[in-house]
Amino acid sequence: MKKILFTLLFLQSFSVLGEDRLNLDHFKFSFGMSLDIVQADTVKARVFGHEFGVDYNYQFADDSYLFFQSSVILEVGSNDVVGSVAEFEPNERINLDRGGMGYRPFEWFHIQLGALDQGKYSSPLLLTKNAFAAIKEEIILGEVYLLFQQAIPSNNKLSKRLGTVDTGTPYFVLNTIGFKSGKEDFFQLELSHYKFQDLPSNVAEKSLAFGNSISGTGEASQFNYDFSGANFYFNSRVMTSELGLLFSGQYIYNEKAPDGRNSGYLAYLGLEFEKLIVKLEGFKNESDTSPAFYNSKYHGHNNMQGNGLNLQLNQESSQLNLRYAKMTPIEQNSIQDSTEIFQMNYHRTF
């Protein structure tokens, strides 16, 4: 049913174009390559992939527009895993990265409805880059802004990676107050309150392998703690004559879990040399800050801590990213293990 609705949404977008229906100015195309090397006692993965993407935007009225972004992923490689969850397994898939309608009746008010990209919040310990069926309202008051999102955290990409969310209707709310100032030298700060509710048993069952505290098995699986708390994100850059100093990160706190299980952080410190960016990262995410099903596998989900090195090379229409990270479990268990990850991502737009 979801595939039918998304297809109808995309086809409907062409119906409003009239004589401009074949105007390629509304489209952007992209090509990418990726390599993941994962090494641990419980998983050994070597995955190479190609990505082909299309990004479509159309302003069909002064205050309304349509947006759509999709990608085709083709992967090959090997994945040797101990356990039932093979999240690094190579596969072939079509992703809906984002899509829907936007409405801006005033400069200070903006609303979006559809499949919204959660990567926009830059908080991988809470949410990774996936599309949730959601509605988001934005109020802009100069350098201060308010964001309100109500979402169903179940989507095509996660279903193919970790298994279908086929029971219940999970619900996710994220309310944010933010501040952003400057361009060359800039500072951005966001403080959010998040809440998950009605998470189904199969989300809990999958999250056990990624560090959450779970009771029961199978259809009786349930999280030991609710998820409701605060997420803090910041991003800054100070430019000098030759380089830029970068400092960014995330802090998450779940008020429903006990101390020792309820907080996490991710911090980046970097230097920008014209087209090259070098960043060091450190992270720690305790067992029950957020549902592990929805956060980043490249940071080990939950109950993991580690460090990483990031290199980013920016050209006019392309970007190359290299990352190495090493992480270990905070609390030892029979499922998680010390893990090393190397990532390579190349992306070019046309």
Side-chain angles (χ1 to χ4, degrees):
M1 186 62 182
K2 289 181 182 178
K3 292 182 179 179
I4 295 174
L5 290 175
F6 291 142
T7 302
L8 290 176
L9 174 64
F10 184 57
L11 293 177
Q12 182 184 11
S13 67
F14 284 94
S15 68
V16 301
L17 296 181
E19 295 180 356
D20 293 332
R21 60 169 53 90
L22 295 179
N23 190 343
L24 294 181
D25 292 339
H26 302 300
F27 291 86
K28 291 183 180 179
F29 300 94
S30 63
F31 165 78
M33 294 186 296
S34 65
L35 174 66
D36 288 347
I37 299 176
V38 184
Q39 184 70 33
D41 288 342
T42 54
V43 58
K44 295 178 177 64
R46 310 287 187 269
V47 180
F48 177 80
H50 282 288
E51 177 179 345
F52 304 90
V54 58
D55 192 345
Y56 163 73
N57 293 274
Y58 181 70
Q59 188 91 25
F60 66 88
D62 291 340
D63 56 7
S64 305
Y65 62 94
L66 299 170
F67 61 94
F68 174 85
Q69 184 176 353
S70 182
S71 56
V72 177
I73 309 294
L74 305 174
E75 294 179 333
V76 296
S78 63
N79 180 60
D80 182 13
V81 61
V82 177
S84 60
V85 180
E87 62 175 340
F88 287 97
E89 183 178 20
N91 57 52
E92 300 176 354
R93 60 188 185 272
I94 299 176
N95 295 328
L96 176 65
D97 299 318
R98 65 186 186 99
M101 286 186 71
Y103 177 58
R104 189 189 292 271
F106 312 104
E107 285 296 322
W108 54 269
F109 181 73
H110 183 205
I111 186 170
Q112 286 187 322
L113 171 66
L116 305 185
D117 179 15
Q118 303 304 297
K120 297 291 185 180
Y121 293 99
S122 302
S123 296
L125 304 186
L126 175 65
L127 300 165
T128 192
K129 183 178 175 60
N130 285 296
F132 287 174
I135 182 171
K136 182 172 70 174
E137 306 89 10
E138 181 179 15
I139 298 174
I140 304 172
L141 306 170
E143 295 179 333
V144 177
Y145 55 91
L146 303 173
L147 299 174
F148 308 95
Q149 180 183 252
Q150 307 84 47
I152 300 174
S154 172
N155 58 83
N156 184 52
K157 188 184 296 187
L158 286 174
S159 295
K160 291 187 177 180
R161 178 161 64 87
L162 297 176
T164 304
V165 180
D166 54 9
T167 60
T169 303
Y171 187 61
F172 173 65
V173 178
L174 186 66
N175 298 321
T176 302
I177 180 170
F179 172 84
K180 186 175 183 179
S181 178
K183 293 185 179 180
E184 289 294 323
D185 295 335
F186 67 82
F187 178 77
Q188 183 179 8
L189 176 70
E190 290 185 355
L191 177 62
S192 303
H193 180 268
Y194 69 92
K195 183 177 182 179
F196 290 88
Q197 63 185 51
D198 300 326
L199 295 174
S201 59
N202 54 344
V203 170
E205 185 179 21
K206 298 293 184 181
S207 297
L208 174 63
F210 303 138
N212 281 151
S213 301
I214 308 298
S215 300
T217 59
E219 295 183 359
S221 298
Q222 61 180 1
F223 291 99
N224 287 354
Y225 310 102
D226 293 333
F227 298 100
S228 178
N231 186 73
F232 175 76
Y233 163 74
F234 63 94
N235 187 22
S236 64
R237 179 177 67 184
V238 178
M239 296 296 297
T240 68
S241 58
E242 297 182 355
L243 56 84
L245 177 63
L246 310 175
F247 186 46
S248 62
Q250 173 196 3
Y251 176 78
I252 185 171
Y253 175 80
N254 180 17
E255 61 189 26
K256 299 296 184 179
D259 292 344
R261 296 183 176 275
N262 61 3
S263 65
Y265 69 83
L266 169 62
Y268 294 99
L269 179 62
L271 295 175
E272 182 176 353
F273 307 89
E274 294 184 353
K275 299 178 180 180
L276 177 65
I277 296 176
V278 181
K279 292 193 293 185
L280 298 174
E281 68 174 279
F283 57 91
K284 179 181 180 180
N285 198 24
E286 293 177 342
S287 60
D288 298 289
T289 57
S290 63
F293 186 87
Y294 299 111
N295 59 23
S296 171
K297 66 180 180 179
Y298 294 110
H299 293 87
H301 296 287
N302 289 71
N303 189 44
M304 295 293 280
Q305 57 188 351
N307 300 282
L309 173 65
N310 299 263
L311 301 178
Q312 179 178 315
L313 180 62
N314 297 313
Q315 299 293 336
E316 182 176 353
S317 58
S318 64
Q319 184 180 92
L320 174 66
N321 292 280
L322 301 173
R323 176 179 182 261
Y324 169 79
K326 185 174 183 179
M327 63 197 77
T328 58
I330 299 172
E331 294 183 1
Q332 297 298 319
N333 56 56
S334 61
I335 302 176
Q336 295 176 294
D337 195 13
S338 297
T339 304
E340 294 180 79
I341 296 179
F342 173 78
Q343 299 170 251
M344 183 279 291
N345 290 281
Y346 173 78
H347 186 264
R348 179 177 174 83
T349 58
F350 300 93

